[in-house]
Amino acid sequence: MKILVCITHVPDTTSKIHFTDNNTKFDKNGVQFIIGPYDDYALARAVELKDQLGASLTVLNVGEAETEPTLRKALAIGADDAIRVNAFPKDSLFVANQIAAIAKENGYDLIMMGRESIDFNGGMVHGMVGELLGMPSVSPVMKLEVDGDIVKMAREIEGGKEYLEAKLPLIAGCQEPIAEWKIPNMRGIMSARTKPLQVVEASVDGVNTEVIAYQLPPAKGSVKLVDKDNVPELVRLLKNEAKVL
Amino acid sequence: MSVLVYIEHAEGSVKKTSLEAVSYGKALSDKLSFGEVVAVALGSISADELGKVGSAGASKVIHVNDNKLNEGIIQAHADAVAQVYNQVGAGTLVLAKSSLGDAVAARLAVKLNAALVSNVVELPDNTSGYKVKRSIYTGKAFAETVVTADHKILAVKKNAVDLKTDGTAAQVEEVTLSIADANFATKITSTDKATGEVLLPEADIVVSGGRGMKGPENWGMIEDLAKELGAATGCSKPVSDIGWRPHHEHVGQTGVKVAPTLYVAVGISGAIQHLAGVNSSKYIVVINKDPEAPFFKAADYGIVGDAFEILPKLTEAVKAQK
Ligand SMILES: Cc1cc2nc3c(=O)[nH]c(=O)nc-3n(C[C@H](O)[C@H](O)[C@H](O)COP(=O)(O)OP(=O)(O)OC[C@H]3O[C@@H](n4cnc5c(N)ncnc54)[C@H](O)[C@@H]3O)c2cc1C
Ligand SMILES: Nc1ncnc2c1ncn2[C@@H]1O[C@H](COP(=O)(O)O)[C@@H](O)[C@H]1O
């Protein structure tokens, strides 16, 4: 059984977002990069499945050289080897094409991703890869068990859960509580240094979208405080000033 | 060139966000002088519900009344929508951003060789090229995106345009499609769904509780206020992690992103990851006993005080103003 986990290299969730070059570039200054939180859930579950099923586990990122520490971290958490497609992830279809090309070559049984990346929040790459490979894709998956060639999943739907079954091969976009995030231990960190990290060039070109400028939302005005002994005043403001009641 | 809108429904009732998508499609067609706005609805939906789609701006509704499409099987829906898209000769597909919508749109982007832009917050600007503004970094920023492909798919964020209903009826066309069995490879074995609740991602008002609520036994107060306001209930991540509340109520960076007109946060500190899920709200009310709680910086209105004293009074006051 071969498992592939696709990870993003994204700003830490506490990052303040800024842009430079006349609002055309993301300002990396002082920003810490992490494995996308949803990808981290996918990876954590994949490590458990690897141990349980004796599977092999590869992690993949489409990104430039700066993403390698993030891939090394995934190796430290428990992946066996890593692949980096050496290209700026221009848009989701571009990324999906690269992932699909690698998957065609290597034939994975289970491809796990995050439900969405936290930079562009598309929630699309898993569906695109699914379509490119002619495989089912399911997202957002909050529980995933493998039983022979059957995958049993719980998927979050608005207001509840849906239980599904499908046959491998399959693509899952994951979210909590599929597994607990794993923190690399010392042994993991040491062994990650020597695990294989293969760099390949992009094999499919072409993009459909291009970001030409970024914008920050307008600053929020200051809060209007209502005295705790005058609660009806809040309702009055919501009704007459904000007009939301 | 017509605009096709993909309609989602929950057990036959058309989602409000899908009606907004129809209004978006209509406004888009008016602005860019595109043709007809056609909606596609899959599965069993009553004529009354389909009527709402017409009223929101569609001139035609293509209804594929196939029981196998009642559930949101992603591949099957993508296949059906692609067939309709090609049959009507559409150039743009509009849909509401949702977990099913995203998945269907992603597969359609490949099938139709279309550019997919997600989290769209405004109508496109075609004064030079075709530009769309979308929300990125979980609402912390926007990206002006140029779209080059001929075929376009726009997944619109809640509140991108106002829902406009004019009462006009759409022509409903019942259509039968043949969808290959391979598209039903994922089987839904059961669902476990709270009924009668206001759905969180759709809600106009949300009342959320955090760890400051001390325990699940105190949620009655949150529910009472929500009921009085006709609101959905939400919570912070630790609250769903500990199991005080179901997971689908978890709001934030790693949970549901909401965009209500009013978000009421009670006993939630306002960590940046929580704010990421609520920063598209029109108005935010914060109730917290700590005047230094970061949430006050993101709030429009606030009360510094003990939730257990304030909540019953607030519920009373809401009742009284009706
Ligand atoms: C990668 C990552 C992703 C995350 N994603 C999310 C996410 O999606 N959503 C999310 O919510 N969090 C998320 N978190 C967690 C986040 O950082 C915070 O820990 C969490 O939001 C805090 O929850 P809280 O405000 O309920 O609890 P606390 O931080 O414990 O705050 C409780 C608040 O209640 C107030 N309080 C206490 N008693 C009362 C009372 N009687 N009356 C009124 N107020 C009272 C306190 O003053 C305090 O402000 C994430 C964290 C990480 C690292
Ligand atoms: N550049 C990338 N490299 C590898 N995987 C990616 C990349 N971008 C997105 N993904 C995967 O696709 C998922 C969904 O991403 P998105 O569609 O951008 O929200 C992410 O959680 C990742 O698992």
Side-chain angles (χ1 to χ4, degrees):
Chain A
M1 163 114 173
K2 288 169 83 172
I3 304 175
L4 176 71
V5 177
C6 301
I7 63 167
T8 54
H9 164 88
V10 290
D12 173 41
T13 51
T14 59
S15 307
K16 292 250 158 49
I17 304 296
H18 299 285
F19 302 101
T20 59
D21 292 21
N22 209 9
N23 282 326
T24 58
K25 278 213 178 72
F26 178 79
D27 185 357
K28 291 180 195 161
N29 216 332
V31 172
Q32 178 127 19
F33 283 83
I34 56 166
I35 300 176
Y38 294 111
D39 314 340
D40 227 357
Y41 283 121
L43 179 62
R45 182 64 190 138
V47 170
E48 292 172 1
L49 289 172
K50 167 189 141 112
D51 293 343
Q52 182 193 321
L53 307 166
S56 72
L57 173 53
T58 303
V59 282
L60 168 66
N61 170 262
V62 180
E64 293 171 312
E66 62 183 13
T67 73
E68 285 193 9
T70 302
L71 278 170
R72 288 277 173 215
K73 186 172 171 210
L75 291 171
I77 288 171
D80 301 313
D81 62 337
I83 303 173
R84 180 171 68 82
V85 177
N86 184 31
F88 180 76
K90 291 181 236 175
D91 73 3
S92 30
L93 189 61
F94 176 85
V95 169
N97 270 315
Q98 313 313 322
I99 296 174
I102 302 270
K104 267 184 202 150
E105 202 174 302
N106 298 343
Y108 302 99
D109 304 287
L110 179 62
I111 303 181
M112 297 172 78
M113 304 194 192
R115 85 174 279 180
E116 69 176 31
S117 59
I118 65 160
D119 47 5
F120 286 92
N121 312 103
M124 307 186 296
V125 168
H126 29 78
M128 288 175 172
V129 173
E131 191 63 31
L132 289 164
L133 297 174
M135 276 184 202
S137 55
V138 181
S139 176
V141 176
M142 55 200 301
K143 190 166 174 272
L144 187 151
E145 308 279 350
V146 179
D147 181 0
D149 67 343
I150 302 285
V151 188
K152 293 184 179 159
M153 288 163 285
R155 169 176 180 267
E156 186 159 281
I157 53 173
E158 281 141 9
K161 278 183 228 174
E162 186 174 83
Y163 297 90
L164 304 118
E165 269 184 37
K167 271 204 170 123
L168 292 171
L170 175 98
I171 300 173
C174 306
Q175 71 166 31
E176 66 174 7
I178 196 164
E180 299 248 357
W181 283 325
K182 294 194 170 19
I183 299 160
N185 57 26
M186 211 47 201
R187 221 183 83 223
I189 295 168
M190 296 303 288
S191 67
R193 290 188 192 155
T194 52
K195 284 180 179 172
L197 190 162
Q198 186 194 352
V199 179
V200 299
E201 293 305 317
S203 54
V204 193
D205 211 4
V207 288
N208 278 326
T209 62
E210 188 197 351
V211 176
I212 52 162
Y214 296 99
Q215 251 176 46
L216 292 174
K220 192 102 189 169
S222 56
V223 56
K224 202 175 246 185
L225 289 179
V226 171
D227 193 273
K228 68 177 170 41
D229 295 321
N230 193 12
V231 175
E233 172 64 7
L234 175 63
V235 175
R236 202 192 59 77
L237 287 167
L238 291 175
K239 191 171 179 166
N240 300 332
E241 192 177 82
K243 300 192 166 51
V244 291
L245 293 186
Chain B
M1 211 171 37
S2 54
V3 175
L4 184 69
V5 184
Y6 167 62
I7 302 296
E8 274 188 66
H9 60 100
E11 272 121 45
S13 28
V14 172
K15 286 196 184 175
K16 188 170 167 243
T17 43
S18 287
L19 295 175
E20 280 181 14
V22 173
S23 285
Y24 182 98
K26 175 75 171 103
L28 168 91
S29 174
D30 289 346
K31 182 174 177 186
L32 306 189
S33 312
F34 286 172
E36 201 181 17
V37 177
V38 183
V40 53
L42 310 175
S44 38
I45 310 173
S46 69
D48 272 3
E49 286 295 314
L50 293 176
K52 292 185 187 167
V53 177
S55 180
S59 54
K60 188 164 144 193
V61 181
I62 295 188
H63 182 208
V64 187
N65 192 0
D66 180 343
N67 282 335
K68 285 197 297 190
L69 297 172
N70 282 350
E71 283 159 331
I73 304 266
I74 295 163
Q75 278 171 289
H77 276 224
D79 188 357
V81 176
Q83 290 187 40
V84 173
Y85 185 94
N86 289 325
Q87 274 168 21
V88 303
T92 307
L93 175 74
V94 176
L95 69 153
K97 187 158 171 75
S98 74
S99 60
L100 176 64
D102 286 346
V104 171
R107 299 195 80 108
L108 282 165
V110 173
K111 278 186 197 293
L112 303 172
N113 194 17
L116 170 50
V117 190
S118 188
N119 273 311
V120 172
V121 295
E122 279 176 8
L123 288 174
D125 169 359
N126 69 337
T127 40
S128 67
Y130 188 105
K131 270 189 291 187
V132 197
K133 185 173 168 182
R134 63 179 164 137
S135 160
I136 57 168
Y137 293 106
T138 326
K140 291 185 201 170
F142 299 100
E144 207 65 71
T145 307
V146 170
V147 185
T148 47
D150 288 341
H151 291 282
K152 299 169 182 80
I153 304 178
L154 306 178
V156 298
K157 196 168 168 165
K158 192 167 178 288
N159 291 334
V161 295
D162 288 331
L163 170 59
K164 287 207 186 75
T165 48
D166 61 6
T168 12
Q171 171 205 346
V172 176
E173 200 179 304
E174 298 289 340
V175 167
T176 315
L177 300 175
S178 102
I179 297 164
D181 285 345
N183 290 308
F184 293 96
T186 50
K187 298 235 172 336
I188 297 172
T189 49
S190 65
T191 50
D192 173 0
K193 202 168 167 181
T195 48
E197 275 182 31
V198 185
L199 289 178
L200 185 56
E202 301 252 294
D204 276 330
I205 303 183
V206 176
V207 181
S208 275
R211 209 145 48 177
M213 288 305 296
K214 305 281 189 290
E217 66 281 7
N218 298 323
W219 240 262
M221 282 185 220
I222 298 274
E223 280 163 349
D224 288 346
L225 177 61
K227 205 164 162 205
E228 216 46 66
L229 290 167
T233 52
C235 65
S236 65
K237 175 168 160 45
V239 164
S240 71
D241 283 351
I242 329 164
W244 291 358
R245 297 299 295 173
H247 190 268
H248 64 260
E249 286 197 0
H250 154 203
V251 170
Q253 176 96 60
T254 46
V256 180
K257 282 89 184 166
V258 296
T261 47
L262 177 63
Y263 186 78
V264 183
V266 188
I268 304 179
S269 57
I272 193 161
Q273 296 96 350
H274 188 83
L275 296 182
V278 307
N279 54 19
S280 301
S281 310
K282 271 203 188 117
Y283 289 94
I284 294 178
V285 169
V286 168
I287 298 168
N288 197 302
K289 68 173 184 191
D290 174 8
E292 302 299 321
F295 221 142
F296 283 115
K297 289 207 178 63
D300 300 280
Y301 301 102
I303 300 182
V304 178
D306 185 349
F308 299 102
E309 279 169 33
I310 294 164
L311 276 174
K313 288 187 189 165
L314 187 54
T315 307
E316 264 322 299
V318 172
K319 204 181 272 175
Q321 64 81 43
K322 276 189 178 165

